[in-house]
Amino acid sequence: MDLQSLANLFATTYNPDPNVQKTGELQIRKIGAQEGMLTALLQIIASDGVELATRQACSVYLKNRVHTSYILPSTPRPDHVPIAQSDRTALKANILPLLSASPSRAVTVQLAATLKDLVAHDFPDRWSSLLNDVKRLLGSGDVREVGAGVVAALECIRAFRFRQKADVLPGIIATLFPTLVTIADGMLNTSPSQPASQEIPAMLHLILKTYKTAIIVNLSPHQQSPESLVPWGRLLFRVVGMAVPAEGVPTDEEDRERCEWWKAKKWAYGILGRLFHRFGNPSQLPSPMQKEYGVFAEDFVTTFAPEIFKVYLHQVELYVSRQAWLGKKCQYQIFQFFTECIKPKSTWILLKPHVDSLVANFAFPQLAFNASKQAMWEADPVEYVRASVDEYENFSSPVSGATSFLLSLASNRTKTAFLPMLQFINTVLRSNPTPAQRFGALTMMSALGPFIVRHPDVKGSIEQFMVQYVLPEFTSQEPYLRSVACEVLGVVTKAGITWASEENLNSHSRAVALALDDHELPVRVQAALAITELVIVHDSVRDAVSPQVGKVVQDLLKLSDETDLDILNHSMEAMVDRFKTELLPVASQLTARLCESYLRLAREGLAQQNETIPDSIDVESLVTDGDDDKVYGAMGVAKTIGTVVSCIESSPEILSQVQEVIIPIIRFTLENKLIDLFDNMYDLVDALTFRLHAISPNMWPVFELTYDLFKSDAVDFLDEMLPSLDNFVSYGTDVLKARPDYRSKVLDMYRTAMTSPQLGDNDKINGCKLAESMLLNLHGHVDDQLQDIINIAADHIDKGETASFRLANLEILVNAVLYNASAALHFMETYKPGFSRTFFDRWFAAINSDNKLPRVHDKQLSILALCKLLEMEASVIPEGLRDGWPGIVGGALNIFKTLPQAVAKRKVLEDQLVEGDDDEDEDDARYLNLEGDEDEDVWDEDSAYLEILAKEGARLREKSEKAETGDDESDISEESDIEEELGFFSVLDKINPYVTFQQALQTFQNQNSALYQAATTMLTVERQTVLMEVVTMASQTDHV
């Protein structure tokens, strides 16, 4: 096909006629793998005589083809054809010139993504000239070639940005970064009003983005050197301090935030913050990073950090005095840096004299109500609620940055900063403030509430503060003040305020109850959150709400539907939990309403899932800006439904009704393959089937769907599916006994779990649990599958990387013995002559070790299986095992010796679990730093957490590097400490092992007197003592 015909073919992909479009796409797919195809596309993209839209379509295809086929996956599809060598050569020869001649930003984006994949796969071994080619572009006098060089430099860095091993990236950095900083420095000498100035900020932005991308994981030796740090530092300070003339930027503030000059500033702030936070802060530097960055950090904090502080403080002064504008993202970065300065002694000394001024003039104005908040409240109150509730999670919001700054001051420099901040709040509220300022003061109060309630000097005065400043705002003319009043009450209630006056508590609870009917939605949401906290903490409020709980729940449902806020689901769960008795009669109706909400959210989430993603989208923005509200909302509703289920378990009739209401949403989710919601749905299936101890006819289609999904799209969801599948087997025994096809499905899931290359040891363990459930619950109805089960387990007898899997697999064979001892031993010999002896060797090695059967279930299973062997008639004992048969009694006694300790250990764990649920008290020390010298370095929970993460990262990297070199000696990890599964229930729990063993021993004596004699004669004194204890326990149980 000639170039013109190929170009015409690609032009059909954006034809308005869908039939023409579809035909073109099918034709492209047919010829796409031919050698020379990509070379032809490169020529079309380079041709100025071809329509721009066609060139863009070709660039999109090129990017996708390279991404999927330049390096084939380990398990490629049959139709997957690798890119021919001639096309690979053409790609590397033409990609940089194409970038230089790119006709549009849209084409540049596609070519840049293509270049990144080429670099990641071929540099340096198969593309040694790359860096020289990029340097040539950067040194060109042509602005388009320099721009292409800048883009190429960024993609070279992006190709290796997450690589832990410092083998490729340092070389790229050392080669390109000296040139980049020189170019950027020269750009700043060009006035923003000059003709070339439109390209300059875009390139400057990309150069700074390149540097920031290079320091995501490591800081290279070149970047640590003064030869690099000084010129880059000078550049960054120039960018931060640069005053961009009004004619160089848009007048609209939102457009200005997005313009290239302010993007460059944002990246400059981001780089300085990253350098200090990750590499230049010695007091907070995790120990695994000390060797590599310790010297750099000490130098940075003494020579560089003070300069950053001085420059940032100057920018704040200009902004506060209205002499300069400051973008929101830049404000956020400044707050982040100041927050990082709080814990290290060296930077705290710099910050300390300015704290009061920064709090009053920089942080507080962010919290006050302003015109943009008012506009959002009026135009979209739902969005206002979402933004205000999630504001602290927004990593580019100055409100989030200001709040983090205040919280860090309160928790880390409590003795210096905390009381002055409270004094500031009181000063604002006493000085005839505007409503917007009152909102700011109360918002600040809300942020500091958990600290105030715990501080010994002020917690006693908080009730008076609430009465004086918060209670009156419930009747304010300004709706935003009514909203923040509810918020403050909710916060201090959750934090544990102690009310000396019951009347004061009642006044606040009545006020918030009235706010539930406020005509402004944001007020109603905050009222719902506050009333929830009051109901949880105070029985008196609970009793007051009780007669109206139906209305309150309806209000919550309505609010939840209006806003899709996940936080309201927490309120609903709390209400359901606190008003179990009152809501029991309407549980079915409540569940039906919740299911309606869930279905709406799930359908909207499905619609979002099916939307096509445009090819030009920035993947990073997709990750950060993705709209998962609907899915998260559905998750929250599903969790609330689960709370309803747990609250009505005492009433099986109502629970059965509720189950029938819930099943349709489970089926909808599974049928539409809403994978993000599978975990929640299987939690519901597990809860319903376990609490009812039965499988209703309408639940069996869920079993069928689960099997179909496991065999197709959800093979890696066995962990989530297992509890439900175990319940289907345990409580649906009658149906499974009557349905051989269902039994075959369970067996097939076990087989797939054990043999699928996609699944690891944990999934194999889950498969073993499923097979064990079959053998334990379907006695006499697994005869046809027993040989298959034994064969699968035997195939894996010495496989697996973990002790947990090896034990789980061994116990399938033990279960087979328990199911039918003589048949199991026969099938083992059928699998391979002598295999039964191999099995016994592995089994008794576990029995006779100290920790290979650690759990109560492991011990009980082996004891009962050994009892089955003792009850076998002498004639059916395999000849190869007869000599060792007397050792069965000693083996059982060996297990009995450690069984009481295992039972006691499990009881302790169960008690700890209950105590853990009840113990929700929070340590005041987590909030307040009232000990030690106020000006010393602070090491808090966040610091300790980063230390743990760094150590774990270092351990994993070391393990990975050893595995690459073949030095890893821990291919098979011995997990001797296999923990009890406290939520695991088995039919074996109902069987008394002492009585069963005594009876088996009696049968053994009657049927095999000679072997019995041999078995008892060879017992040691210790085992004879254990035998007497077992017989005593059995007789005591018989008399109970």
Side-chain angles (χ1 to χ4, degrees):
M1 187 180 287
D2 62 82
L3 288 181
Q4 187 58 53
S5 300
L6 190 59
N8 292 341
L9 180 58
F10 270 88
T12 65
T13 61
Y14 55 89
N15 190 294
D17 185 339
N19 294 320
V20 174
Q21 194 179 108
K22 188 70 176 174
T23 303
E25 288 172 353
L26 290 172
Q27 182 65 18
I28 290 169
R29 193 173 298 170
K30 198 176 295 182
I31 65 171
Q34 293 179 7
E35 183 170 0
M37 172 76 168
L38 298 188
T39 304
L41 290 180
L42 291 168
Q43 292 174 293
I44 294 172
I45 295 168
S47 173
D48 290 333
V50 178
E51 269 191 21
L52 180 59
T54 302
R55 296 162 77 182
Q56 185 174 336
C58 291
S59 68
V60 169
Y61 179 87
L62 180 75
K63 177 201 70 174
N64 292 336
R65 176 83 170 116
V66 168
H67 187 69
T68 57
S69 304
Y70 202 80
I71 294 293
L72 283 182
S74 54
T75 53
R77 298 193 313 269
D79 61 339
H80 218 134
V81 180
I83 294 171
Q85 186 57 49
S86 61
D87 284 328
R88 292 166 183 260
T89 303
L91 277 164
K92 287 184 283 190
N94 290 284
I95 191 73
L96 292 178
L98 268 182
L99 271 172
S100 301
S102 174
S104 71
R105 184 179 183 278
V107 172
T108 299
V109 168
Q110 306 303 324
L111 293 175
T114 305
L115 173 62
K116 180 166 80 76
D117 283 333
L118 297 177
V119 173
H121 295 140
D122 278 2
F123 182 80
D125 297 339
R126 291 177 293 278
W127 198 359
S128 57
S129 66
L130 172 65
L131 295 186
N132 286 333
D133 294 341
V134 175
K135 279 191 77 172
R136 183 185 56 76
L137 290 174
L138 291 172
S140 167
D142 184 332
V143 69
R144 295 186 70 185
E145 288 196 345
V146 175
V150 169
V151 170
L154 173 59
E155 297 309 322
C156 288
I157 297 296
R158 291 183 70 182
F160 303 102
R161 60 184 156 169
F162 297 122
R163 194 178 178 114
Q164 294 284 350
K165 199 172 180 183
D167 53 350
V168 180
L169 205 54
I172 298 173
I173 292 167
T175 303
L176 299 182
F177 276 34
T179 306
L180 288 175
V181 72
T182 302
I183 292 170
D185 228 14
M187 288 176 181
L188 289 183
N189 295 327
T190 305
S191 168
S193 58
Q194 289 182 12
S197 63
Q198 297 312 306
E199 284 134 357
I200 285 173
M203 281 193 277
L204 180 62
H205 156 214
L206 289 180
I207 289 172
L208 295 176
K209 187 174 182 179
T210 303
Y211 192 100
K212 176 79 183 301
T213 304
I215 60 175
I216 287 175
V217 176
N218 296 309
L219 189 68
S220 71
H222 172 75
Q223 288 168 302
Q224 293 182 49
S225 69
E227 292 76 22
S228 172
L229 191 62
V230 170
W232 278 99
R234 191 183 300 120
L235 170 70
L236 295 169
F237 289 146
R238 285 186 70 189
V239 174
V240 166
M242 175 179 58
V244 183
E247 62 269 20
V249 294
T251 53
D252 180 79
E253 289 195 0
E254 288 190 10
D255 291 339
R256 195 184 311 170
E257 189 92 45
R258 289 190 291 267
C259 82
E260 292 294 341
W261 282 114
W262 277 96
K263 280 185 179 178
K265 280 179 169 282
K266 179 197 76 172
W267 285 100
Y269 279 108
I271 291 167
L272 291 169
R274 182 70 175 172
L275 285 171
F276 182 57
H277 167 70
R278 181 160 174 81
F279 308 106
N281 187 346
S283 80
Q284 305 299 309
L285 195 67
S287 55
M289 297 173 68
Q290 289 285 352
K291 182 179 178 182
E292 193 170 358
Y293 303 115
V295 173
F296 171 82
E298 291 291 348
D299 185 56
F300 190 92
V301 81
T302 53
T303 61
F304 217 84
E307 290 303 311
I308 301 175
F309 182 82
K310 191 188 304 179
V311 169
Y312 280 19
L313 197 62
H314 180 61
Q315 292 303 308
V316 170
E317 288 167 353
L318 291 174
Y319 172 71
V320 168
S321 62
R322 301 184 184 279
Q323 296 178 58
W325 185 80
L326 199 55
K328 289 182 178 180
K329 292 181 179 178
C330 296
Q331 291 180 51
Y332 174 81
Q333 293 288 354
I334 292 173
F335 274 121
Q336 283 295 98
F337 178 77
F338 286 160
T339 302
E340 292 288 340
C341 288
I342 292 171
K343 288 193 280 188
K345 176 182 178 180
S346 55
T347 50
W348 169 241
I349 291 170
L350 299 173
L351 178 66
K352 186 177 177 181
H354 305 280
V355 164
D356 291 347
S357 172
L358 287 170
V359 168
N361 301 316
F362 190 40
F364 175 71
Q366 307 291 349
L367 306 182
F369 204 76
N370 54 33
S372 62
K373 291 177 181 176
Q374 182 69 48
M376 187 186 293
W377 182 298
E378 292 172 356
D380 191 348
V382 172
E383 187 56 35
Y384 174 87
V385 170
R386 186 173 288 112
S388 61
V389 168
D390 295 334
E391 186 103 52
Y392 304 157
E393 304 295 322
N394 186 337
F395 298 127
S396 61
S397 158
V399 175
S400 171
T403 306
S404 297
F405 178 61
L406 296 176
L407 296 180
S408 185
L409 284 171
S411 61
N412 294 302
R413 300 297 177 183
T414 311
K415 288 191 282 188
T416 298
F418 185 62
L419 293 180
M421 285 194 289
L422 299 191
Q423 184 60 45
F424 171 77
I425 293 173
N426 278 291
T427 300
V428 170
L429 292 173
R430 287 171 184 163
S431 57
N432 195 26
T434 65
Q437 290 174 322
R438 296 205 317 263
F439 176 89
L442 292 179
T443 301
M444 193 168 165
M445 173 72 185
S446 175
L448 297 176
F451 302 88
I452 298 169
V453 170
R454 289 171 171 82
H455 196 289
D457 294 345
V458 295
K459 63 182 179 182
S461 59
I462 192 168
E463 181 173 352
Q464 180 57 36
F465 180 94
M466 295 295 293
V467 171
Q468 187 173 350
Y469 296 116
V470 177
L471 188 59
E473 302 297 6
F474 280 99
T475 54
S476 170
Q477 293 297 307
E478 303 294 342
Y480 56 81
L481 285 172
R482 300 197 297 272
S483 173
V484 77
C486 294
E487 181 183 345
V488 172
L489 178 58
V491 166
V492 298
T493 301
K494 185 177 181 179
I497 180 176
T498 302
W499 295 91
S501 164
E502 188 72 19
E503 181 51 39
N504 286 339
L505 169 61
N506 292 339
S507 298
H508 283 80
S509 62
R510 284 195 297 270
V512 84
L514 289 172
L516 282 172
D517 294 321
D518 198 284
H519 59 278
E520 297 281 354
L521 183 139
V523 181
R524 296 199 301 274
V525 170
Q526 290 294 350
L529 300 178
I531 199 77
T532 301
E533 299 302 338
L534 287 165
V535 162
I536 291 171
V537 175
H538 300 290
D539 288 338
S540 61
V541 179
R542 182 209 173 282
D543 294 341
V545 171
S546 180
Q548 298 294 317
V549 68
K551 176 193 175 299
V552 173
V553 167
Q554 289 299 322
D555 289 343
L556 280 172
L557 284 167
K558 187 169 182 291
L559 275 174
S560 187
D561 283 341
E562 285 178 294
T563 62
D564 292 340
L565 275 174
D566 183 48
I567 196 166
L568 287 172
N569 291 316
H570 162 70
S571 291
M572 180 65 74
E573 286 177 58
M575 288 294 176
V576 170
D577 188 53
R578 284 290 274 163
F579 295 100
K580 294 176 187 175
T581 307
E582 291 86 347
L583 292 173
L584 195 59
V586 295
S588 294
Q589 298 94 306
L590 173 58
T591 306
R593 276 293 310 274
L594 289 167
C595 287
E596 286 173 17
S597 296
Y598 175 87
L599 276 177
R600 176 182 61 78
L601 290 162
R603 287 193 178 104
E604 291 173 4
L606 183 63
Q608 283 180 350
Q609 183 177 296
N610 292 334
E611 286 177 3
T612 55
I613 299 171
D615 285 296
S616 61
I617 199 162
D618 182 350
V619 175
E620 288 181 347
S621 70
L622 183 68
V623 171
T624 55
D625 300 336
D627 184 8
D628 291 326
D629 283 348
K630 304 302 178 187
V631 173
Y632 284 130
M635 287 178 183
V637 176
K639 195 176 174 192
T640 306
I641 295 171
T643 303
V644 174
V645 169
S646 66
C647 288
I648 59 175
E649 64 179 324
S650 59
S651 178
E653 286 183 17
I654 296 176
L655 186 56
S656 296
Q657 295 169 13
V658 165
Q659 175 178 251
E660 298 309 309
V661 175
I662 295 172
I663 287 174
I665 71 166
I666 297 170
R667 291 188 60 176
F668 175 87
T669 306
L670 302 184
E671 286 165 356
N672 287 282
K673 299 178 181 178
L674 288 164
I675 285 179
D676 289 337
L677 297 168
F678 277 10
D679 196 1
N680 303 86
M681 292 301 99
Y682 283 113
D683 281 346
L684 287 175
V685 176
D686 177 33
L688 290 166
T689 51
F690 178 74
R691 286 181 165 85
L692 286 168
H693 283 208
I695 311 296
S696 76
N698 288 331
M699 188 62 89
W700 282 107
V702 173
F703 169 78
E704 295 173 9
L705 276 168
T706 298
Y707 170 76
D708 293 339
L709 285 165
F710 178 72
K711 294 295 289 181
S712 56
D713 300 74
V715 68
D716 51 352
F717 272 81
L718 186 56
D719 201 44
E720 289 79 8
M721 295 172 173
L722 179 69
S724 302
L725 289 168
D726 182 48
N727 292 345
F728 277 113
V729 176
S730 301
Y731 306 126
T733 50
D734 290 343
V735 173
L736 280 163
K737 287 174 182 176
R739 294 285 299 265
D741 58 325
Y742 279 6
R743 298 200 299 275
S744 295
K745 288 180 191 297
V746 177
L747 175 64
D748 189 38
M749 293 180 81
Y750 166 57
R751 181 186 292 108
T752 303
M754 295 292 283
T755 58
S756 171
Q758 290 177 251
L759 302 180
D761 272 13
N762 190 56
D763 294 297
K764 290 181 173 66
I765 291 169
N766 288 328
C768 290
K769 289 177 180 177
L770 193 54
E772 178 178 79
S773 188
M774 279 184 75
L775 292 168
L776 290 176
N777 290 287
L778 302 176
H779 196 270
H781 292 79
V782 194
D783 295 354
D784 294 342
Q785 286 96 7
L786 190 60
Q787 176 76 75
D788 284 340
I789 292 172
I790 287 172
N791 289 352
I792 294 166
D795 284 342
H796 293 80
I797 189 71
D798 287 321
K799 295 179 181 176
E801 296 184 355
T802 61
S804 300
F805 168 64
R806 292 194 295 277
L807 175 59
N809 186 60
L810 177 68
E811 287 186 342
I812 293 300
L813 297 172
V814 177
N815 271 287
V817 171
L818 178 60
Y819 176 85
N820 187 328
S822 58
L825 296 178
H826 169 72
F827 287 143
M828 288 181 197
E829 290 301 307
T830 304
Y831 168 77
K832 186 168 71 177
F835 181 76
S836 60
R837 182 59 183 262
T838 302
F839 159 64
F840 267 82
D841 288 345
R842 302 291 187 281
W843 188 15
F844 271 79
I847 287 172
N848 293 320
S849 72
D850 291 334
N851 57 5
K852 292 291 178 66
L853 299 176
R855 298 165 300 196
V856 173
H857 176 75
D858 303 325
K859 297 178 188 298
Q860 289 182 331
L861 174 64
S862 279
I863 289 170
L864 297 176
L866 291 171
C867 290
K868 289 292 182 184
L869 294 174
L870 291 177
E871 292 171 347
M872 283 176 61
E873 295 182 8
S875 58
V876 295
I877 297 174
E879 194 61 42
L881 301 176
R882 190 177 292 272
D883 290 347
W885 214 252
I888 291 174
V889 175
L893 293 172
N894 212 43
I895 302 172
F896 271 119
K897 185 176 73 172
T898 57
L899 180 60
Q901 293 96 305
V903 171
K905 182 181 176 184
R906 184 172 70 177
K907 180 69 169 62
V908 168
L909 290 172
E910 289 170 344
D911 292 343
Q912 287 175 347
L913 184 66
V914 173
E915 290 169 9
D917 288 342
D918 293 338
D919 184 18
E920 296 180 355
D921 291 338
E922 293 184 282
D923 184 7
D924 289 355
R926 286 181 54 205
Y927 287 87
L928 304 169
N929 178 17
L930 297 171
E931 305 296 327
D933 189 333
E934 175 63 14
D935 289 337
E936 290 303 311
D937 289 326
V938 175
W939 183 266
D940 64 0
E941 280 196 353
D942 290 341
S943 312
Y945 180 64
L946 290 175
E947 173 78 8
I948 292 168
L949 287 182
K951 284 182 175 177
E952 180 63 10
R955 186 187 70 79
L956 292 174
R957 282 194 297 277
E958 183 181 2
K959 185 177 180 181
S960 175
E961 288 166 9
K962 284 184 177 178
E964 284 179 16
T965 58
D967 295 334
D968 189 7
E969 298 176 359
S970 59
D971 291 338
I972 298 178
S973 62
E974 289 297 333
E975 298 176 10
S976 57
D977 191 18
I978 300 173
E979 295 181 355
E980 282 284 354
E981 297 174 324
L982 300 181
F984 178 74
F985 299 94
S986 163
V987 293
L988 302 186
D989 296 337
K990 301 173 184 175
I991 302 173
N992 187 306
Y994 295 94
V995 173
T996 305
F997 180 71
Q998 185 187 41
Q999 293 169 349
L1001 202 60
Q1002 188 63 52
T1003 304
F1004 185 40
Q1005 183 179 13
N1006 295 340
Q1007 291 183 172
N1008 301 296
S1009 57
L1011 290 175
Y1012 173 83
Q1013 184 68 32
T1016 52
T1017 303
M1018 64 189 292
L1019 293 178
T1020 63
V1021 174
E1022 183 183 19
R1023 285 182 176 172
Q1024 288 175 7
T1025 304
V1026 175
L1027 177 58
M1028 288 189 290
E1029 291 172 353
V1030 171
V1031 172
T1032 302
M1033 287 287 290
S1035 61
Q1036 287 175 351
T1037 307
D1038 275 345
H1039 288 101
V1040 172

